[in-house]
């Protein structure tokens, strides 16, 4: 799926922007279901603006989020199992044995969409071999003005960085060492996909535009990696997306998760 040039770019920079992972029809169907879910769940608690002392905001901002999309509509499971995506992930991980970690969707409303601090996903769910990758699917054209993604290329080589979060459950790196205005913006088109390492320092801009910004994110890992601690346990975590999981539990006594 990926060329040697693409693989080397990912190795050097910790991220890769891809075209034509999904068809226009698939993105259209996903976009429609996505919008329907946010309308259907509008009375649920969806506000997910990042907490902490990382930024002083003069005016309140908003971020609406729904997790576990595969439990809401079938199109998201179809997108998880897309061969072109999984072939690219297999090339990056060096194995076709790929498991689901979790899925989520973030909506940044026009004019008031919240920024994300620069952070590493590692702090939320550390793994022994650092195989976790994020799959960032753009449902709208994105740029700095409407809340697009920003990264520090090559920062994944630094390994886990100091967690400066001051509220339990909310993590970010030193914003003075990694200011978003020095980061590289990812200007992407609708349907384009960014794959990046969970060690990559990344964040996103506020949405100051007059349009909404929507994204869908999948996180996946090698079936041969191990959790360093039990955190962020999501529905369907460990689902085999490609290949097999030789480490899956088979004991009849452990067939049900503990409540």
């Amino acid at each position: 799926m990926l060329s040697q040039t693409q693989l080397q770019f990912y190795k050097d920079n910790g991220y890769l922007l891809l075209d034509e992972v999904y068809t226009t029809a698939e993105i259209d169907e996903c976009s429609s279901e996505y919008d329907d879910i946010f309308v259907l769940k509008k009375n649920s608690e969806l506000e997910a603006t990042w907490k902490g002392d990382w930024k002083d905001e003069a005016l309140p901002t908003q971020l609406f989020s729904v997790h576990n999309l595969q439990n809401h509509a079938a199109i998201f499971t179809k997108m998880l199992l897309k061969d072109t995506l999984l072939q690219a992930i297999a090339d990056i991980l060096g194995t076709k044995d790929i498991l689901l970690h979790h899925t989520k969707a973030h909506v940044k409303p026009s004019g008031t969409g919240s920024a994300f601090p620069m952070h590493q996903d590692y702090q939320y769910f550390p793994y022994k071999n650092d195989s976790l990758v994020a799959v960032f699917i753009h449902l709208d054209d994105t740029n700095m003005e409407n809340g697009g993604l920003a990264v520090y290329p090559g920062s994944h080589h630094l390994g886990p960085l100091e967690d400066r979060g001051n509220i339990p459950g909310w993590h970010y790196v030193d914003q003075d060492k990694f200011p978003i205005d020095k980061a590289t913006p990812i200007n992407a088109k609708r349907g384009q996909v960014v794959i990046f390492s969970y060690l990559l320092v990344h964040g996103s801009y506020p949405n100051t535009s007059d349009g909404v910004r929507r994204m869908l994110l999948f996180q996946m890992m090698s079936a041969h990696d191990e959790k360093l601690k039990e955190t962020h346990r999501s529905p369907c975590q460990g689902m085999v997306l490609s290949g097999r999981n030789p480490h899956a539990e088979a004991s009849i006594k452990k067939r049900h998760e503990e409540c």
Side-chain angles (χ1 to χ4, degrees):
M1 175 64 185
L2 299 181
S3 68
Q4 287 302 311
T5 299
Q6 288 174 312
L7 286 171
Q8 189 62 49
F9 184 93
Y10 182 89
K11 181 178 179 181
D12 293 341
N13 294 282
Y15 75 97
L16 187 64
L17 178 63
L18 296 177
D19 293 304
E20 299 179 355
V21 174
Y22 297 103
T23 66
T24 300
E26 287 168 333
I27 293 296
D28 287 346
E29 182 182 357
C30 174
S31 180
S32 177
E33 286 282 6
Y34 185 106
D35 290 345
D36 287 348
I37 288 169
F38 275 91
V39 171
L40 181 65
K41 302 299 179 180
K42 65 181 179 181
N43 293 326
S44 299
E45 186 174 346
L46 304 182
E47 173 55 48
T49 295
W50 215 290
K51 297 179 181 180
D53 61 1
W54 61 279
K55 183 181 179 182
D56 293 326
E57 292 186 330
L59 297 173
T61 59
Q62 296 175 300
L63 176 77
F64 304 127
S65 183
V66 173
H67 284 231
N68 312 312
L69 275 297
Q70 72 282 357
N71 289 353
H72 290 267
I75 181 59
F76 301 107
T77 302
K78 293 177 183 177
M79 294 184 74
L80 275 169
L81 297 174
K82 179 73 173 183
D83 283 344
T84 48
L85 173 64
L86 295 174
Q87 288 166 10
I89 300 296
D91 287 346
I92 287 170
L93 297 185
T95 178
K96 67 178 182 179
D97 300 332
I98 302 168
L99 307 182
L100 174 65
H101 191 272
H102 73 280
T103 69
K104 58 190 171 188
H106 292 319
V107 172
K108 291 189 179 186
S110 61
T112 61
S114 303
F116 278 46
M118 304 308 292
H119 66 281
Q120 294 177 308
D121 293 339
Y122 170 90
Q123 300 294 347
Y124 286 93
F125 28 82
Y127 274 69
K128 181 178 180 180
N129 299 323
D130 298 325
S131 70
L132 268 84
V133 296
V135 177
F136 190 114
I137 304 168
H138 296 82
L139 297 183
D140 300 294
D141 293 352
T142 60
N143 52 48
M144 294 174 66
E145 287 70 37
N146 73 349
L149 183 66
V151 303
Y152 269 84
S155 57
H156 63 306
H157 292 303
L158 299 174
L161 298 170
E162 179 187 5
D163 179 15
R164 297 295 294 269
N166 68 319
I167 295 178
W170 300 89
H171 307 287
Y172 43 89
V173 299
D174 189 328
Q175 304 299 291
D176 292 327
K177 290 182 179 179
F178 297 94
I180 194 167
D181 60 353
K182 297 290 181 64
T184 298
I186 306 297
N187 296 318
K189 296 294 185 182
R190 171 186 168 94
Q192 286 188 308
V193 174
V194 178
I195 301 172
F196 61 88
S197 166
Y198 86 150
L199 286 171
L200 185 74
V201 176
H202 64 286
S204 64
Y205 304 97
N207 183 3
T208 58
S209 75
D210 58 2
V212 69
R213 192 227 68 178
R214 302 167 303 155
M215 59 80 75
L216 174 65
L217 189 134
F218 303 150
Q219 296 213 257
M220 307 173 180
M221 68 277 195
S222 165
H224 309 288
D225 210 344
E226 302 174 35
K227 283 186 177 183
L228 293 180
K229 58 182 179 181
E230 188 61 48
T231 60
H232 207 290
R233 186 71 179 178
S234 300
C236 305
Q237 191 173 110
M239 174 184 174
V240 179
L241 304 177
S242 174
R244 62 181 62 178
N245 182 6
H247 311 289
E249 180 59 62
S251 172
I252 192 69
K253 294 182 178 180
K254 297 181 179 181
R255 66 190 184 278
H256 302 302
E257 289 191 19
E258 294 184 5
C259 299

